[in-house]
Amino acid sequence: SSELTQDPAVSVALGQTVRITCQGASLTTYYATWYQQKPGQAPVLVFYGRDNRPSGVPDRFSGSRSGDTASLTITGAQAEDEADYYCNSRDTSGHHGVIFGGGTKLTVL
Amino acid sequence: QVQLQESGPGLVKSSGTLSLTCAVSGVSISSGDWWTWVRQSPGKGLEWIGEIFHGESPTYDPSLKSRVSISIDKPKNQFSLILNSVTAADTAIYYCAHLRRGSHCSRATCTYYYYMDVWGTGSTVTVSS
């Protein structure tokens, strides 16, 4: 089945811009979806499709895609953005179910 | 406003059966979207278990397919997860989620995306020996 690869950890200085990436063959077929998960909480949808941000998610969160790599960009990272971020997509080479990236732990310095 | 709530035993004996239910409110479970289960082992990432669309056969992760079953109870507006022959590796927080599909179309070509817009709070299941 397909895989999605994320960097395990990324850090950013407060107020700076950070890009979290997700790479996989399925992303040439499907847009990625991004979730934020804080300790002890359920994941929360933060970006999906080409340009969709759920109500209540700050506009400093944006998404993009280039080839087989999707990115979640946080422009002007805040302390409350420190969390784990997961991408997901559909599998394109086997079961055609959902696949998740391994997650990226974002630290805001 | 869609809301989901998992329920079920928090402790299951090794080699036994894990059974969880997800109560759906705010929308009919036959609304035309998918219903899915995701789990997260302690300190690990998200793992998709499977999904079901009302009126269709469920789809499962290949690594769990031989042990898992997901079903819908339309009168109760809920869906369920059964996982057989559990081991310590099945100890996790189990989430149910509402899965939707969208598309962006340009010049007669559409690109799809799938997103879980509503999640339950999670149900912690520990497998004991």
Side-chain angles (χ1 to χ4, degrees):
Chain A
S1 60
S2 315
E3 290 186 352
L4 296 177
T5 301
Q6 298 183 242
D7 291 327
V10 171
S11 62
V12 61
L14 184 67
Q16 295 303 300
T17 296
V18 62
R19 178 176 292 181
I20 299 169
T21 61
C22 174
Q23 186 269 332
S26 66
L27 298 181
T28 61
T29 301
Y30 297 104
Y31 285 114
T33 295
W34 292 93
Y35 305 91
Q36 176 193 70
Q37 186 181 35
K38 296 182 178 180
Q41 298 181 18
V44 173
L45 178 68
V46 292
F47 200 88
Y48 60 104
R50 194 187 77 152
D51 51 11
N52 301 101
R53 192 171 44 248
S55 164
V57 174
D59 61 7
R60 61 179 178 270
F61 288 87
S62 63
S64 61
R65 180 179 73 162
S66 178
D68 68 352
T69 300
S71 300
L72 177 72
T73 300
I74 307 174
T75 304
Q78 301 300 302
E80 60 264 32
D81 300 334
E82 185 163 293
D84 294 326
Y85 291 85
Y86 295 91
C87 60
N88 92 290
S89 174
R90 271 299 196 196
D91 170 73
T92 54
S93 64
H95 58 80
H96 300 291
V98 170
I99 50 175
F100 281 101
T104 297
K105 180 174 180 58
L106 175 67
T107 299
V108 180
L109 304 172
Chain B
Q1 172 187 358
V2 180
Q3 290 186 308
L4 306 177
Q5 182 61 61
E6 306 90 349
S7 62
L11 193 62
V12 180
K13 284 193 172 181
S14 183
S15 77
T17 297
L18 180 159
S19 181
L20 295 172
T21 296
C22 182
V24 179
S25 59
V27 69
S28 169
I29 203 160
S30 55
S31 64
D33 295 320
W34 289 262
W35 305 95
T36 188
W37 288 96
V38 175
R39 71 180 182 179
Q40 186 170 36
S41 300
K44 303 295 185 181
L46 301 175
E47 178 185 14
W48 178 74
I49 298 171
E51 68 191 33
I52 189 166
F53 187 94
H54 181 254
E56 296 186 0
S57 297
T59 302
Y60 304 119
D61 183 272
S63 67
L64 298 171
K65 189 174 182 178
S66 64
R67 301 193 290 130
V68 69
S69 175
I70 295 174
S71 60
I72 280 178
D73 186 335
K74 186 179 176 182
K76 292 184 177 180
N77 214 46
Q78 64 186 31
F79 62 108
S80 299
L81 168 71
I82 292 178
L83 184 64
N84 298 311
S85 305
V86 298
T87 69
D90 296 311
T91 293
I93 300 173
Y94 287 76
Y95 297 100
C96 59
H98 177 228
L99 175 64
R100 306 185 71 178
R101 185 179 76 172
S103 64
H104 175 76
C105 299
S106 176
R107 298 176 189 169
T109 298
C110 293
T111 302
Y112 293 91
Y113 48 90
Y114 292 79
Y115 58 104
M116 299 176 194
D117 62 342
V118 180
W119 294 66
T121 56
S123 180
T124 299
V125 178
T126 301
V127 178
S128 68
S129 55

